[in-house]
Amino acid sequence: MLDISAWFNDLLAGNLIFTPTTLGYYWEGLVTTSQLVFLSLLAGLVLAVPLAIMRSSKRKWISLPVYFYTYVFRGTPLLIQLYIIYYGVVFIDGIQQTFLWPILREAFYPALIAFTLNTAAYTTEIFRGAIKATAKGEIEAARAYGMSQSLMMRRIILPSAFRRALPAYGNEVIFMLHASAIASVVTLMDLTGAARFVYARFYAPFEAFLFVAAIYLCLTFAILYFFRFLEKKLLAHLRPQNT
């Protein structure tokens, strides 16, 4: 381990920008970005499934509130949503006297709330479209077996919809990764925040931002590979069979 550390220090010797200290900032930014994107996607997915079912309902009093929510969050910039939640939470009466204040005064959690609500809106519409695209034959076959609406939703509609929604949802994951770059505007030290720090310290915009762009590119390719793997496994029955 000491040999690896010595080799790494020798590699960076004479480099004024990419030192162990600045690379530590990039590592901190990578951890923050990964946590923010992963948690927001996970929470957004949990919210999107019931919201997509509600959005697909034929009852207007159920579907219209969800439609309004998705319309607002898909129709306004994520940056504005982040500003409203981050700066607006201070003006809620009595919030500073509640147990929530120690959490909400940290920039990470307002950013997490904004990202979660935004991705949940997009994911809801992705899943709603996939639910609506369920073949009528599958639904009729489930009814012929005597399945209830809830059982049919769990065993037939949702698994089928998830497979159809997978390519579009993969694009949403990549979008959220790229959109997370705005988190630095609320003082979070994410990847973009680390690049801005290095730029401000060394006045080297190309080195600082090209390096972080390369990190985002690697993360994007990893996500693409992961979803290609899932599509290959879950959509194998749609591939033409060799005869």
Side-chain angles (χ1 to χ4, degrees):
M1 188 68 180
L2 292 176
D3 293 338
I4 296 177
S5 178
W7 171 82
F8 187 70
N9 288 329
D10 291 340
L11 181 65
L12 297 177
N15 191 315
L16 298 178
I17 299 175
F18 297 108
T19 63
T21 302
T22 56
L23 290 179
Y25 286 115
Y26 279 112
W27 173 254
E28 179 185 350
L30 176 61
V31 171
T32 301
T33 295
S34 300
Q35 290 176 339
L36 184 61
V37 172
F38 175 76
L39 292 176
S40 62
L41 287 170
L42 180 62
L45 184 61
V46 171
L47 287 174
V49 173
L51 289 176
I53 297 173
M54 294 171 63
R55 178 76 175 87
S56 303
S57 175
K58 295 180 180 179
R59 298 180 177 90
K60 295 297 183 181
W61 62 274
I62 295 177
S63 62
L64 281 179
V66 181
Y67 168 76
F68 178 75
Y69 157 68
T70 59
Y71 181 82
V72 170
F73 277 87
R74 293 191 306 137
T76 55
L78 177 56
L79 180 60
I80 302 301
Q81 298 165 20
L82 178 59
Y83 278 150
I84 290 174
I85 294 174
Y86 178 71
Y87 293 111
V89 71
V90 181
F91 295 97
I92 299 176
D93 290 337
I95 190 67
Q96 298 185 20
Q97 285 72 46
T98 67
F99 69 95
L100 294 174
W101 180 243
I103 298 174
L104 294 177
R105 69 180 180 184
E106 301 293 333
F108 182 86
Y109 294 100
L112 178 61
I113 294 171
F115 285 15
T116 297
L117 293 176
N118 184 272
T119 189
Y122 281 94
T123 307
T124 295
E125 289 299 326
I126 291 172
F127 283 174
R128 182 198 65 94
I131 289 173
K132 288 293 187 182
T134 303
K136 291 184 179 179
E138 296 181 11
I139 297 176
E140 291 173 356
R143 287 174 177 166
Y145 271 98
M147 290 187 181
S148 64
Q149 185 66 26
S150 60
L151 184 61
M152 181 170 56
M153 183 66 68
R154 292 197 311 269
R155 292 189 176 181
I156 305 297
I157 298 177
L158 285 182
S160 177
F162 178 77
R163 288 193 295 268
R164 284 191 298 274
L166 197 58
Y169 184 66
N171 292 334
E172 170 61 15
V173 171
I174 294 174
F175 167 78
M176 282 307 301
L177 172 64
H178 294 168
S180 69
I182 69 173
S184 61
V185 302
V186 291
T187 71
L188 271 180
M189 181 61 78
D190 66 338
L191 278 171
T192 306
R196 292 172 63 181
F197 174 82
V198 173
Y199 160 65
R201 184 172 181 180
F202 296 99
Y203 298 99
F206 291 106
E207 293 85 346
F209 290 108
L210 285 176
F211 184 72
V212 81
I215 297 176
Y216 278 115
L217 193 63
C218 292
L219 292 174
T220 300
F221 276 120
I223 293 171
L224 282 173
Y225 179 81
F226 174 72
F227 275 93
R228 292 277 177 85
F229 174 79
L230 282 183
E231 289 176 28
K232 184 178 180 181
K233 291 295 183 182
L234 298 179
L235 303 179
H237 62 287
L238 298 180
R239 294 200 303 268
Q241 302 294 323
N242 294 326
T243 57

